[in-house]
Amino acid sequence: MRGRSVRTAQRRRTPAVAAGTPSSAVTGTAAGSWLVRGKDGRLTAYAPCEGGLLRWTETRPGGPDWSAPDLFPVAGLTHLTVAQGADTYVHFAGRRERRQPDGCADVDIVHAIQYQTGRPVTEWRSLGNPHREPDKARRFGVPTAAVDTSGTVHVFVRNAGGGLMMRREGQGGRWEPWADLRGTDVRDGLLATATSSGGVEVFAPAGGVALHWVRPESGGAPQRSHDIRPAPLPGSVAAVETAPGRLTHYWTDPAGSGLVCHRPGGWPVSLGGAPGDGANAVLRALLDGYDCTVLAHRGVDGGVLFGVCGTEAESAGLWWTDAGRSCLGAPALARDAYGRVVLAAFDPDGTLCVARQSSGPGLMFGDWLRV
């Protein structure tokens, strides 16, 4: 988002209201990076709720205290994804259903931004729906979003015919029309990721394979790359940049063999584990002087599990540890202002819980804090 449009958006803000009422109960976890670190070093957690969007913010960098949750009302929000750009702006893309008097639902995609930690969220702007026929419009899918190094926001959604649609912010903050990137049998639960080299990639479950779109550098639209097998369980895909401009994707194998990883030029590698049906979280971190990749997910028994391996050395083995807490939805990972790995999850009752890396070798977490 460029200067003039930023100032305009900041004047049109959605004020937060007090949370804690039945209408603001957590309904699950957002897709994407729902735990992020702002420019001032403070962490923020987000979750969809019955009334819109809930937000918790550290009161100072490194914690341990957090604010009470703020509620940002969004009527009809059915799904939410969170994406953060290199400028630390946090973008929200949601699917909205608004019931009409005849009982039918109008479906569109909405977008909002938080520019600074703890500050208001801009108004929720509709990005529309590319389908004109009411039946197709109601079958428009769930968005994913990525912000490239220039600050351009890309929103991707499955269309009613099983293809992939993209809408992105153009010059001067104006949004380009919906573009059809094609594809066949695309399912919801796709993932868009930006790289430090200006690229954007989309990874989409599609029947028996994963479809892959790649835009290697700034400009142009992502183009279809090679299909990848095995197909991911929809909604389970996570990605992290493991070398400059190179992403490694991780996902759950629906056949039950556990976690799988893949990066360009290699074969998929099985990582084991017993993930449930939710999303995986992934983070690079320096542990004992080694470049490591940390993964976390909700296991089949409902508990939070985390694992560690050398970055781009998954074939050497990955060890899973029970974090000692059941959770609602998927856990999240981030690094705090002191570089410590932070693991966050929601209790089954919707309470935000946070555990921080403790001192000592390897990766272990201290006691969970109920926020």
Side-chain angles (χ1 to χ4, degrees):
M1 188 72 74
R2 285 80 180 169
R4 181 178 178 182
S5 53
V6 167
R7 290 193 295 271
T8 302
Q10 284 177 322
R11 288 195 294 267
R12 300 193 301 268
R13 298 177 295 181
T14 302
V17 298
T21 64
S23 64
S24 60
V26 172
T27 55
T29 46
S33 305
W34 63 260
L35 180 69
V36 303
R37 189 178 70 203
K39 187 172 293 185
D40 66 355
R42 289 187 291 163
L43 294 175
T44 305
Y46 307 94
C49 66
E50 296 174 15
L53 167 70
L54 283 174
R55 181 186 73 186
W56 294 256
T57 307
E58 281 187 318
T59 57
R60 61 181 180 180
D65 297 327
W66 294 69
S67 68
D70 296 317
L71 169 63
F72 296 91
V74 192
L77 192 68
T78 65
H79 297 81
L80 176 70
T81 189
V82 182
Q84 186 178 34
D87 53 13
T88 73
Y89 297 168
V90 181
H91 295 260
F92 309 98
R95 182 182 184 273
R96 180 172 64 178
E97 286 190 7
R98 291 174 291 182
R99 292 288 168 182
Q100 301 303 310
D102 61 3
C104 294
D106 280 345
V107 173
D108 65 346
I109 303 300
V110 292
H111 170 257
I113 311 171
Q114 177 186 295
Y115 291 106
Q116 293 178 306
T117 303
R119 300 296 296 165
V121 171
T122 65
E123 66 175 349
W124 292 81
R125 175 178 180 176
S126 176
L127 302 184
N129 185 321
H131 296 298
R132 295 185 178 181
E133 302 87 344
D135 178 62
K136 288 185 177 181
R138 286 191 291 271
R139 290 187 281 121
F140 198 42
V142 176
T144 183
V147 186
D148 69 16
T149 51
S150 69
T152 299
V153 188
H154 300 67
V155 175
F156 301 90
V157 190
R158 171 198 54 78
N159 66 26
L164 182 68
M165 306 296 294
M166 177 187 75
R167 193 165 189 198
R168 65 182 173 187
E169 183 190 26
Q171 293 295 322
R174 295 180 180 275
W175 286 80
E176 299 172 357
W178 286 100
D180 188 353
L181 303 186
R182 304 191 180 278
T184 303
D185 201 23
V186 172
R187 313 291 175 86
D188 282 332
L190 44 87
L191 176 77
T193 311
T195 70
S196 62
S197 60
V200 173
E201 299 189 23
V202 184
F203 204 88
V209 300
L211 305 186
H212 190 203
W213 283 261
V214 177
R215 192 200 73 184
E217 55 189 32
S218 298
Q223 302 296 316
R224 275 286 297 276
S225 182
H226 299 293
D227 296 347
I228 301 167
R229 290 180 172 81
L233 184 71
S236 70
V237 185
V240 66
E241 191 169 9
T242 52
R246 182 166 67 228
L247 295 176
T248 299
H249 286 88
Y250 302 85
W251 67 92
T252 302
D253 182 358
S257 66
L259 211 62
V260 176
C261 80
H262 175 268
R263 61 185 149 268
W267 296 97
V269 176
S270 177
L271 304 180
D277 59 0
N280 292 282
V282 61
L283 176 76
R284 275 179 75 180
L286 198 64
L287 302 175
D288 299 332
Y290 293 96
D291 182 1
C292 295
T293 298
V294 183
L295 293 147
H297 56 235
R298 181 178 182 266
V300 291
D301 64 352
V304 178
L305 301 173
F306 68 93
V308 179
C309 64
T311 295
E312 296 201 346
E314 298 88 356
S315 59
L318 189 147
W319 293 266
W320 294 99
T321 302
D322 189 333
R325 179 165 294 278
S326 296
C327 68
L328 168 73
L333 290 164
R335 288 192 301 272
D336 70 8
Y338 298 107
R340 295 172 296 187
V341 179
V342 177
L343 178 61
F346 289 97
D347 254 2
D349 66 4
T351 301
L352 175 64
C353 299
V354 178
R356 295 179 197 265
Q357 179 182 358
S358 58
S359 59
L363 177 61
M364 294 300 295
F365 291 98
D367 293 338
W368 286 92
L369 170 69
R370 287 173 58 89
V371 176

